[in-house]
Amino acid sequence: MALIKNEIPILEYDTDENAVIDTKAEGLTPFPEKAVFAFLKDEVERYALSSGGELLDIFKTTTKDFPIYACEYGGKRICLCQAPLGGAAAVQMLDYLIGHGCREIISAGACGALTDIPENEFLVPVRALRDEGASYHYLPPSREIALNKRGIRAVEQALRQAGRKFEQVKTWTTDGFFRETEEMVRYRRQEGCRVVEMECASLAACAEFRNVVLGMLLYTADTLADEKNYQERGWGRASLAEALQLALDAVLFVE
């Protein structure tokens, strides 16, 4: 175990797996090993309540409480909860789920298109550019992170089963939503990023550090393909229900 120091604080890294505030839930009934952790607004809770989901816990924050449910799906007991926006907030909750027993996790959420991709297209991120902060607390500094191959396979299998076309993509994970400048967008596109979002690299780093499987499903919402003519489009709202269904299917395919 070692603390690796750097002049730039975000590049400092501690290899110690233990922290002052521990996520492990000793002595409590563990959550299901399979989990869907979804950035899908109220669709998650609507599904949990309509399917007779059991309230397992409530993840409390200073701004909002996040119910955590257990649902029966495809003959398996699955942990299901809404994910908070942004890498730091999402990783805090993901680490909590892992500490309570989740080991095979599928996440789903929206992304912005950096190239000419129509709205409501499904994509599978295989690499994420680490332009955020949370991932650097879990893994040593690097430009990109590769997503877990088992997670990728599970998401792709669910998409194929549903007859949905998809592409693998490299995504730009940023925590500066209002700092996506014209030149930066062009730069990220030039280095191979086709979409942008705010959590993928953070979640992937936490999962790798904790030695669990994480796969991610993205659907296109707004577009920055023409950086001089930003378009919100419909924010991908038409994809919410299908994205949740695909995530539930995908988590069953994690082997």
Side-chain angles (χ1 to χ4, degrees):
M1 293 182 291
L3 176 62
I4 302 167
K5 297 183 179 180
N6 192 289
E7 182 180 355
I8 309 300
I10 196 63
L11 300 181
E12 294 181 323
Y13 179 70
D14 195 337
T15 61
D16 192 347
E17 293 186 10
N18 300 307
V20 176
I21 304 173
D22 196 357
T23 64
K24 296 183 180 66
E26 301 292 348
L28 299 179
T29 302
F31 295 170
E33 289 194 1
K34 292 184 178 292
V36 169
F37 185 55
F39 302 86
L40 300 174
K41 298 188 177 181
D42 297 331
E43 193 67 35
V44 176
E45 189 161 16
R46 187 181 301 116
Y47 177 87
L49 295 176
S50 66
S51 62
E54 172 194 353
L55 181 64
L56 294 177
D57 197 2
I58 297 178
F59 185 76
K60 297 180 180 294
T61 76
T62 56
T63 55
K64 180 181 177 179
D65 292 345
F66 292 84
I68 301 171
Y69 296 95
C71 299
E72 295 294 327
Y73 184 79
K76 298 287 185 179
R77 187 168 164 84
I78 295 172
C79 183
L80 176 63
C81 56
Q82 182 185 12
L85 176 69
V91 159
Q92 184 182 12
M93 190 169 178
L94 177 65
D95 215 348
Y96 184 83
L97 295 176
I98 295 169
H100 283 67
C102 297
R103 293 291 178 272
E104 299 172 353
I105 303 149
I106 298 295
S107 187
C111 63
L114 297 180
T115 57
D116 189 17
I117 307 175
E119 187 179 4
N120 297 305
E121 293 290 312
F122 287 106
L123 304 168
V124 183
V126 295
R127 300 193 70 82
L129 188 79
R130 297 172 64 185
D131 187 21
E132 38 69 68
S135 69
Y136 293 87
H137 299 288
Y138 287 87
L139 295 177
S142 64
R143 190 161 188 83
E144 300 176 2
I145 182 170
L147 272 80
N148 184 279
K149 291 182 180 179
R150 291 169 61 196
I152 292 170
R153 284 197 300 268
V155 173
E156 291 184 342
Q157 192 166 348
L159 285 161
R160 290 192 187 97
Q161 176 181 265
R164 266 298 206 159
K165 65 177 184 178
F166 65 90
E167 295 181 70
Q168 292 187 350
V169 294
K170 175 180 171 180
T171 182
W172 167 23
T173 305
T174 179
D175 52 16
F177 183 83
F178 289 112
R179 292 298 300 146
E180 297 168 7
T181 64
E182 291 181 18
E183 187 171 358
M184 187 65 76
V185 170
R186 288 194 295 270
Y187 177 41
R188 297 300 184 221
R189 190 185 299 124
Q190 288 166 3
E191 62 178 322
C193 297
R194 297 197 61 205
V195 295
V196 58
E197 39 66 49
M198 301 183 69
E199 299 90 12
C200 187
S202 307
L203 299 180
C206 176
E208 183 174 325
F209 179 77
R210 298 298 186 193
N211 196 30
V212 302
V213 176
L214 180 124
M216 191 154 195
L217 171 70
L218 296 175
Y219 61 88
T220 47
D222 55 336
T223 179
L224 295 81
D226 179 355
E227 62 269 10
K228 294 184 182 297
N229 183 28
Y230 169 69
Q231 297 175 45
E232 293 181 354
R233 301 195 286 198
W235 286 111
R237 293 185 186 92
S239 296
L240 293 174
E242 187 176 6
L244 179 58
Q245 187 69 58
L246 287 165
L248 288 164
D249 289 339
V251 81
L252 296 180
F253 287 130
V254 178
E255 297 176 347

